[in-house]
């Protein structure tokens, strides 16, 4: 049990696969150009996991790094959450596989499936358990092998996605920590991005494979409009209860879907683009792992200092969205 009412991120880690897939290489795979991809999305390259590397492998690597950063051991964990839409398999949950891989105790372990908003949902869930006093230390991992559900013959989607993992250890802190959160979902717009087959609606058949239904289907330009609105609205909902204005936020760590979405969000929020952390150029969209890896790298690069108020902000398939204000 833990009596603290303040909960913060006390350790961070990431895992990025070695293989780099550049826009130039994609030019040889589909009818596209480096120029189109970069100007429309801000992406130059992305990482692709090895064939023998599953989401739980990347998640476990990120988890080990986060535990080391926190100065904790796997046995110290009371809860493990994995945010992913590319689990190793439907079940067991990837979180259970990670529990075993890192040598954690038999603590609760489950997955959260809200696409790109997963890291923010996961942190918010863990925050509740720690604040309530039920648990002391929680591990939240966002890990994706999107290359496994990407249609490499569809130029409209295959240029966007990449693989990777980021992890955070949450625990009691004396000062600051998670100040507020806002989560939301709109199932009515769920058709805008989905993986149609492989579930109970369309189980895997020869036809579902021939129809390429086991890959991401996306209506990009419609999603774009939703993304700008929900990310800006979520940011407002998370900052409003704290009486914070845009200028009080030192850095926004957003989901990295498209640089044009992020510039439009910055404009709507009244922020200059330099207040939006970007690493999309190197990794593309890693779904839930995007905001997690962005947070890890922003801290590693010294962009976040003690006392800073930062905003995590994401949207994704579902549709879902979420924003969190953290005092570092
Ligand atoms: N290379 C060259 N041309 C392309 C490519 C490509 N890779 N992809 C599409 N085009 C073409 C289209 O066919 C279209 O051609 P047409 O005018 O002859 O019909 C033209 O480019 C414009 O296509 P649009 O889809 O209108 O292009 P847009 O400017 O909207 O950019 C993009 C597309 C990048 C996908 C954008 O809409 C976007 O980023 N949307 C948001 C996507 C997103 O956020 N997805 C993830 C959210 S959830 C999750 O991550 C799990």
């Amino acid at each position: 049990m833990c009596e603290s009412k303040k909960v913060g991120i006390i350790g961070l880690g990431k895992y990025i696969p070695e293989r780099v897939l550049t826009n130039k290489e994609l030019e040889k795979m589909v009818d596209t150009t480096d120029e189109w991809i970069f100007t429309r999305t801000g992406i130059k390259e992305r990482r692709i996991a090895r064939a023998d590397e599953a989401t739980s492998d990347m998640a476990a690597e990120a988890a080990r790094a986060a535990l080391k950063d926190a100065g904790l051991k796997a046995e110290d964990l009371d809860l493990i959450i994995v945010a992913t839409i590319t689990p190793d398999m439907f079940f067991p949950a990837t979180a259970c596989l990670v529990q075993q891989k890192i040598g954690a105790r038999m603590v609760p372990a489950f997955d959260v499936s809200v696409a790109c908003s997963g890291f923010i949902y996961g942190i918010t869930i863990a925050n509740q358990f720690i604040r309530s006093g039920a648990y002391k230390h929680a591990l939240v991992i966002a890990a994706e092998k999107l290359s496994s559900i990407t249609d490499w013959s569809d130029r409209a989607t295959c240029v966007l996605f990449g693989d990777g993992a980021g992890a955070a250890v949450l625990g009691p802190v004396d000062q600051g920590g998670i100040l507020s959160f806002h989560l939301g979902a709109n199932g009515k717009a769920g058709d805008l991005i989905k993986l149609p087959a492989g579930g109970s609606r369309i189980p895997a058949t020869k036809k579902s494979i021939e129809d390429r239904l086991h890959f991401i289907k996306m209506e990009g330009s419609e999603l774009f409009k939703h993304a700008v609105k929900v990310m800006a609205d979520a940011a407002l909902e998370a900052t409003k209860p704290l009486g914070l204005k845009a200028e009080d936020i030192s850095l926004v760590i957003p989901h990295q879907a498209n640089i044009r979405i992020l510039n439009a969000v910055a404009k709507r929020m009244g922020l200059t683009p330099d207040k939006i952390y970007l690493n999309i150029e190197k990794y593309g969209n890693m779904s839930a792992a995007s905001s997690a890896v962005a947070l890890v790298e922003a801290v590693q690069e010294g962009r976040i200092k003690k006392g800073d108020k930062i905003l995590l902000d994401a949207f994704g398939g579902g549709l879902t969205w979420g924003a969190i204000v953290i005092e570092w």
Side-chain angles (χ1 to χ4, degrees), residues 99-122:
Q99 180 201 59
Q100 176 262 322
K101 278 182 205 286
I102 63 174
R105 289 178 293 118
M106 284 187 265
V107 298
F110 59 90
D111 291 358
V112 174
S113 174
V114 286
C116 316
S117 316
F119 186 55
I120 289 175
Y121 267 64

Side-chain angles (χ1 to χ4, degrees), residues 32 36 40-41 116 155-156 218 220-221 223 257-258 260 285 315:
T32 191
W36 191 97
R40 295 285 182 130
T41 69
C116 316
R155 70 174 184 175
M218 185 181 85
S221 47
L223 256 186
N258 185 316
R260 291 185 295 134
N285 177 350
F315 83 99

